[in-house]
């Protein structure tokens, strides 16, 4: 196990649930959830942003070096401005912590839309895989993810989907650029 911590700050519970499925498949083997890799869930965007300065200062006093990953949905924000704001909140309080900020475009559910076959397997009534060649789904990061999945299935809830969709996802065919940037960026950040 690496003598280093990975602290992950997320804005909501569904992101934590999804990351608990995804991370064991992409983290280097010397990062283990619950041992030296921790997901800190917040009660929405405001709570996350408010907590960043305090946590950034506190990480300077940890007994092991800390790497910080912050995941914040884009929603209707300008991605570049939002990322700059988050980086500034950290850097104003901790200049040296290794930092990676990832902004799911527009939200976590867009990552699922990048694999319509997975949605179809989770929600068979949706027939979501039949939409793969439709122009609307060529750039899934431009859509409102949760609204689109709600159209596919009345059984959709953010938490249930986060718990169950990963078993059907194929990362190598995911068309969400935002998802792929998250995966590749985290690999570079931790090596």
């Amino acid at each position: 196990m690496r003598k280093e911590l990975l602290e992950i700050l997320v804005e909501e519970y569904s992101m934590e649930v999804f990351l608990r499925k995804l991370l064991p498949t992409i983290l280097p083997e010397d990062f283990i959830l619950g041992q030296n890799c921790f997901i800190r869930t917040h009660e929405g965007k405001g709570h996350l942003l408010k907590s960043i300065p305090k946590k950034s200062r506190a990480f300077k006093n940890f007994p092991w070096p800390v790497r910080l990953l912050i995941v914040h949905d884009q929603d209707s924000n300008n991605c570049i401005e939002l990322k700059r704001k988050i980086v500034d909140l950290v850097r104003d309080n901790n200049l040296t912590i290794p930092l990676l900020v990832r902004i799911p475009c527009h939200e976590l559910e867009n990552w699922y839309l990048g694999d319509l076959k997975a949605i179809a397997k989770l929600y068979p009534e949706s027939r979501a895989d039949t939409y793969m060649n439709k122009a609307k789904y060529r750039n899934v990061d431009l859509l409102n993810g949760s609204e689109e999945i709600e159209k596919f299935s009345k059984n959709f809830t953010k938490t249930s989907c986060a718990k169950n969709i990963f078993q059907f996802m194929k990362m190598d065919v995911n068309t969400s650029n935002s998802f792929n940037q998250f995966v590749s960026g985290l690999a570079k950040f931790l090596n």
Side-chain angles (χ1 to χ4, degrees):
M1 186 171 69
R2 194 182 292 203
K3 297 263 187 215
E4 185 175 33
L5 300 177
L6 175 61
E7 289 284 332
I8 305 169
L9 308 182
V10 300
E11 67 180 72
E12 63 184 10
Y13 180 65
S14 61
M15 178 61 81
E16 175 189 352
V17 169
F18 180 73
L19 289 179
R20 288 196 176 281
K21 303 287 184 179
L22 171 67
L23 290 176
T25 68
I26 63 171
L27 284 175
E29 62 185 45
D30 53 353
F31 276 107
I32 301 165
L33 280 172
Q35 293 184 22
N36 64 346
C37 177
F38 301 95
I39 303 171
R40 312 294 182 189
T41 303
H42 295 77
E43 296 171 10
K45 296 162 193 50
H47 184 234
L48 170 61
L49 293 174
K50 187 177 176 183
S51 79
I52 290 173
K54 184 178 179 181
K55 285 186 169 88
S56 296
R57 286 189 300 273
F59 293 145
K60 291 190 273 189
N61 300 316
F62 277 36
W64 286 356
V66 176
R67 291 178 183 263
L68 179 59
L69 167 62
I70 300 174
V71 185
H72 187 297
D73 286 351
Q74 177 188 5
D75 296 321
S76 61
N77 294 296
N78 175 296
C79 193
I80 294 168
E81 290 174 12
L82 177 60
K83 188 172 184 178
R84 185 177 310 124
K85 177 181 180 177
I86 293 169
V87 169
D88 289 347
L89 284 171
V90 173
R91 293 295 174 229
D92 288 347
N93 295 281
N94 189 330
L95 289 172
T96 60
I97 191 168
L99 173 65
L100 178 65
V101 176
R102 281 295 175 252
I103 311 288
C105 302
H106 280 266
E107 57 186 344
L108 169 62
E109 289 76 19
N110 290 73
W111 291 0
Y112 312 153
L113 287 173
D115 189 343
L116 289 172
K117 287 184 179 182
I119 293 172
K121 287 179 182 172
L122 182 60
Y123 303 114
E125 76 282 4
S126 73
R127 301 183 45 219
D129 55 338
T130 64
Y131 292 83
M132 287 174 35
N133 295 320
K134 302 280 185 197
K136 178 179 182 176
Y137 294 98
R138 288 195 187 122
N139 187 347
V140 296
D141 292 330
L142 297 176
L143 302 173
N144 183 324
S146 55
E147 282 183 15
E148 290 300 319
I149 299 174
E150 284 174 348
K151 291 176 190 176
F152 285 132
S153 177
K154 65 179 189 237
N155 298 314
F156 167 77
T157 67
K158 287 184 170 230
T159 302
S160 175
C161 190
K163 282 181 185 174
N164 298 304
I165 197 160
F166 187 75
Q167 64 185 314
F168 302 115
M169 288 180 75
K170 303 270 189 262
M171 292 198 310
D172 58 336
V173 298
N174 195 299
T175 63
S176 168
N177 185 53
S178 172
F179 176 76
N180 293 320
Q181 290 293 321
F182 176 85
V183 172
S184 65
L186 184 59
K188 289 175 191 168
F189 182 61
L190 297 177
N191 288 330

